[in-house]
Structure formats: C-alpha cells, structure tokens
Amino acid sequence: MARKSAREDVGVYTVPSVRTIPRIGSGLWTKAWDWFARQSYRLSEWAVEFSARAKKDVLIPSVLYLFALADVSARCARRLWFETVCLAHTVRVSAGRLKANRITAASIMASVTAAAISVTFFGLGFSLRVNGQEVGYLMHSDDLSRAIESVESQVSAALGRPYGLNPNVTLSFGVVEREKVLTSAEIEQVLVSAVSEISDLYVLTVDGKAVGASYNEETLRAALNEFSALKTNGTVLKTSYNRDVKIEKTVAETSLICSADELKTTLSGEIQTEQYYTIVRGDSWEKIAHEHGLSVEQLKEMNPETPMRRGKQLLVSEAIPFLSVETIVQTSDIQSVDYKTVEEKNASMYVGTQKVTQNGARGNARVTVNTTYRDGQAVASEQVSYEMLKAPVDRVVQVGTKPLPKASRMSPSGDGVATGSFIRPVSGAIVYSDYGYRKSGFHSGVDLAVSAGTPIYAADGGTVTFSGYKGAYGKLIIINHGNGLTTYYAHNSANNVRVGQKVSRGQKIGAVGSTGNSTGPHCHFEVRKNGKSVNPWRYIS
C-alpha cells in the first residue's frame, strides 16, 4: 500500500463543516435558537448604547444583558467544541504516525498555542466608537460613565459652574482585543478630543476662578510677570499676591483662551471703583461717615483737602484692585557718613574762645535696604546691612579754659574775647528812655541820648553777626558775645565793622545817629539772652 503524503496527513486540520459539530438541538429548534440569540444580542447593544447616552440614569435591562451573554457564550462554546474535536482527531490520527511525520507534532503544538493565545489576548467587552470611528475597547461600560463624570468634574471645577458633557460616542458589546483596552486617562482624552468646546488647556485661576487659558503655559506666565513687574534698580526678592493665583493644566472651555494682553487687562481691572458722595445742606462729617460705614478720622484721611461745603464731593469708598501685588525689593547704595565734632580743652586759651585744629571729613558706607511695595507704592522699609567703606574724620576744636583778664576800658586789639561784663556803649549820654513799658508800648532796650557823631563802643568782646540797615532800627550792629548773649546798637549814623569781624571790649564800632524810627540822635542799646530781650542794666558794670 502506497504511503500517504504529508499534505494528506495534515488534511485533518481543514475546517470541518458546522453541520458536523454537535448542537443543542436540531432542525427548527436550532434555527429558532440562532434567531433568538441574534435578536437578544441586538437588543443588548441598543440597551448599552441607550444607558451610556442617559449617563446611567436608566438601568440596563438585566434580561437583555443575560440574553446577550448567553448568545456570546453559546458562540464561544461552539467554537471551543469545534477546536476540541479537531484537536482530539489530530491526536488520534497522528499518534501512530508521530515518527513518520514531524509536521504532525508541530501541528499539535500550534493548536495548543493558538488556544492559549485566544484565551490570553481576547475577552468579552465593548468597542468604543467616537463620531462613528472605532478608537479602542472597554472591558466594562461603567468605565465610560466614570470617564464622563471625571471630565465633567474637572471642567466644572475649572469654570466654577456645573458643566455637562455631550460626546458623540457609542458602545458595541462583543469579543475585544485585550491589548487595545483603553485606560481611564485614555478614555478621558478621547472624550475631550471629541468635544470642540473643551480642551486640555493651561488655565490661570484667581481664588479658584478661571480668568484666562492658553495652549501654551508660557503665554500665561508672561502675562502674569508683566502685570506684576516693578520698575526698580534693585533686586526683586519676592513677589506675592493678595489672592491665590495658580496656573494648572486641566480640561476647560476653549472660550477661556485669551492673549497675553487680554489677560493683563483682566488682572489690572478693579473689583470696585472709587465712589463719591455730594455734600448737601445739613450734612456733617459724622453723618456722612456713619452712613457709609466709616469713622470720622477715616473719612477725613480720605479727603484731606476737601471742605465740608455743599456741592463738594467726598470720596467715601476707595477703589479695590482685582489683584493686588506685593513686591520686596533689595537695594544697596553708597551713602555719606557725617563726621563728629570733638572738643578738647586748652588752658592756654581764654574762656569763650576756640580754635579748629583738625577739619572734619565725611566718610561713606554701603547700606542695604529691603523695601516693600504694594501695587507700585512703597509701604515699608527695613535696613538689613551696614558696611563702613571709609570712616569719617572727626573735627577737633580747641576750647579755651583760661580765666578772662580784668576788664579794661579800651582794648583795640580785636581779639573777640568776651569778659562777661558790659560797659556803656557811649560816653556822656543821658538816659532818654529806659527799658520796660511806656506809653507807646514795651521798650526792649535803653535809649542813650547824645550828640550825633559820638563814637559807639562795643560793650564787650565778641563777633559781629549783623552790620547794616534793618527797618525801624535804622543802621544796626549786632555782636555775639557767646553764652547766648548778644547786644544791639541801633539808629547809627555810621557802622565801622563788618559781619564776621572780631571786636574787643571798648573798641569803636560806629557813630551815633538818628536813622530808622527815631525822634533824635541817640544810641538804642539792647541786650538779648538766647534771643529774648533782657534789662541791659543787669549786665552793665
């Protein structure tokens, strides 16, 4: 008997007719079961789709679902029975011929492997279609419902109001490839891409409320930085806001998309504008302040130059910015440092005299300050470091401690030494008007009447601080004697000293006259202590 070919040996793997596979029944019963399974499967698809559209508000009919499951199970059972029959037949036929033909062994392994792969890579689930196009598979219909709820929740949070998603999606029940099953994140992405009015965006929120969005995060960052930018030469240490500002990527309405300039305009706006009140008859600070919830002090501070007059407008409510910016700026400057004056006692110099032995020189230091700005206005400043770069040089003054010499009538040397004891400024004069009150009012000095041109002498040593014409005094000389004492010589016909000149006790300084407010030639002599007139006779020896 001739040996069969290898092709004839593996011919058993030709797919047998369905009629050769045992069925549940035969004849009319079998046809009826197939028709019923097909109809139940169609009804299950309709129920699943209707439930998905209704967002779980309608329960999937359990009976239809069981019918669909029974139909698929029957088909899978028939396929499994078919594979089992083929596998058993292959084993029986090839058992005696295993040594003669290796192809048979390979076929057995292929069948077992195919069965394992079929179980591993396929299962029961749903095919997801978006706008009529299949995009992947779901193992459970609830995965779609949960994805829709998640997207709606994200969009509602971003918008600050409820949002309903209406995607054009359908589900079909059947055998699915496990490797094409979508994750939750992938389902959400599919839903977002299916709706044109929402998208994955970078959203800027203020206190949780979306105020602008963009596909590019840098667009929002640039607008926010430009809004909060402060023109300064210092270093910006910190920028903060009075409200919670965030930039996050989330699902949001595309209507929120705006340009950097539009976003800056929104941030620069005001929650409340300035409000004014027009004063009417009968109004008062207390009444207006009470009506607008202010204290009188607050109302006056807001209107420092506005009088309480009918028809005038008072600011009763200041503008509130949409977003307030607080910036801390650090600056470092070189500042001048003043020198000190140091006095040194000198026993060789008379009391009341002094001499500078070392001129003072300013130093400089680097001062670092942190300044806080609110909406561009400086509100606080704090010095954080002080570095001396060049120390100042003290000014040294020698101060005389030597007792003054005895008073002398004439001392024309002009040393400016004050003795503390005054002489009469003119000789041979009579007292024309004394110190104190008189009919015309208070007289701040003594009038010494004498003929015009009579010499006037310095009552004590000192420095001339004024020499010129001064109102009612006429020609006037003022001498500073130290210790707060000054003397006035008025109505002169001539002044023989200049400002800054040092004079001695008894030195000629001018001549008697009748200039200014005077009734005749005389010397008006006045003594002042710390700027206030005192009785001259208390100091004249």
Side-chain angles (χ1 to χ4, degrees), residues 57-110:
D57 290 339
V58 179
L59 184 65
I60 300 176
S62 302
V63 176
L64 296 180
Y65 184 85
L66 291 176
F67 283 163
L69 182 62
D71 175 67
V72 174
S73 299
R75 296 184 187 187
C76 291
R78 292 169 61 181
R79 179 65 183 177
L80 182 59
W81 176 254
F82 173 78
E83 296 288 349
T84 302
V85 171
C86 291
L87 180 60
H89 183 67
T90 301
V91 172
R92 185 177 65 255
V93 172
S94 61
R97 304 177 181 179
L98 187 58
K99 295 181 181 180
N101 193 343
R102 295 181 180 180
I103 296 179
T104 304
S107 299
I108 295 175
M109 294 301 297

Side-chain angles (χ1 to χ4, degrees), residues 44-254:
S44 68
E45 285 185 323
W46 174 84
V48 171
E49 180 179 355
F50 180 77
S51 177
R53 289 180 178 275
K55 299 184 182 62
K56 298 181 68 175
D57 290 339
V58 179
L59 184 65
I60 300 176
S62 302
V63 176
L64 296 180
Y65 184 85
L66 291 176
F67 283 163
L69 182 62
D71 175 67
V72 174
S73 299
R75 296 184 187 187
C76 291
R78 292 169 61 181
R79 179 65 183 177
L80 182 59
W81 176 254
F82 173 78
E83 296 288 349
T84 302
V85 171
C86 291
L87 180 60
H89 183 67
T90 301
V91 172
R92 185 177 65 255
V93 172
S94 61
R97 304 177 181 179
L98 187 58
K99 295 181 181 180
N101 193 343
R102 295 181 180 180
I103 296 179
T104 304
S107 299
I108 295 175
M109 294 301 297
S111 298
V112 174
T113 302
I117 292 175
S118 177
V119 174
T120 303
F121 293 97
F122 294 90
L124 297 178
F126 297 87
S127 172
L128 177 61
R129 291 179 176 272
V130 177
N131 296 326
Q133 183 179 358
E134 185 178 89
V135 296
Y137 300 100
L138 283 67
M139 295 305 294
H140 305 283
S141 61
D142 289 344
D143 294 344
L144 178 61
S145 300
R146 283 192 292 268
I148 292 176
E149 291 178 358
S150 177
V151 172
E152 289 179 340
S153 177
Q154 294 180 52
V155 177
S156 298
L159 301 180
R161 59 177 176 80
Y163 179 84
L165 186 66
N166 295 303
N168 182 19
V169 297
T170 57
L171 289 177
S172 299
F173 187 73
V175 178
V176 301
E177 296 181 45
R178 294 183 182 275
E179 66 177 5
K180 291 185 179 181
V181 174
L182 302 174
T183 64
S184 298
E186 290 172 337
I187 298 173
E188 292 178 11
Q189 184 62 41
V190 167
L191 293 175
V192 170
S193 62
V195 182
S196 60
E197 61 184 358
I198 62 172
S199 183
D200 268 336
L201 300 171
Y202 289 96
V203 180
L204 187 146
T205 61
V206 177
D207 284 346
K209 182 179 180 181
V211 296
S214 175
Y215 289 106
N216 186 0
E217 182 181 6
E218 291 305 317
T219 300
L220 303 182
R221 295 284 180 195
L224 187 61
N225 292 338
E226 186 176 353
F227 162 74
S228 58
L230 179 68
K231 292 183 179 180
T232 175
N233 295 326
T235 302
V236 177
L237 300 181
K238 181 183 178 182
T239 299
S240 57
Y241 307 96
N242 65 329
R243 304 173 69 184
D244 185 24
V245 179
K246 292 182 180 179
I247 296 178
E248 296 177 323
K249 188 174 185 180
T250 184
V251 178
E253 280 186 314
T254 53

Side-chain angles (χ1 to χ4, degrees), residues 272-277 285 288-289 292-306 313-319:
Q272 175 181 295
T273 59
E274 293 181 343
Q275 296 180 8
Y276 289 87
Y277 172 79
W285 290 105
I288 298 174
H292 293 88
L294 300 170
S295 65
V296 175
E297 292 74 16
Q298 289 175 328
L299 184 60
K300 289 184 176 181
E301 287 179 1
M302 294 166 63
N303 302 271
E305 299 180 358
T306 305
Q313 286 192 328
L314 294 179
L315 177 64
V316 294
S317 180
E318 296 180 327

Side-chain angles (χ1 to χ4, degrees), residues 429-450 491 519 521-526 535-537:
I430 62 173
V431 178
Y432 176 74
S433 180
D434 209 347
Y435 174 85
Y437 287 95
R438 57 186 184 179
K439 292 182 179 180
S440 59
F442 184 78
H443 191 226
S444 58
V446 294
D447 291 341
L448 304 174
V450 69
H491 307 305
T519 57
H522 69 279
C523 175
H524 174 85
F525 180 63
E526 189 174 320
N535 192 339
W537 301 117

Side-chain angles (χ1 to χ4, degrees), residues 421-474:
S421 178
F422 295 164
I423 63 171
R424 287 197 180 196
V426 291
S427 299
I430 62 173
V431 178
Y432 176 74
S433 180
D434 209 347
Y435 174 85
Y437 287 95
R438 57 186 184 179
K439 292 182 179 180
S440 59
F442 184 78
H443 191 226
S444 58
V446 294
D447 291 341
L448 304 174
V450 69
S451 61
T454 302
I456 300 175
Y457 304 100
D460 198 3
T463 303
V464 178
T465 59
F466 183 86
S467 179
Y469 200 96
K470 189 173 184 180
Y473 282 109

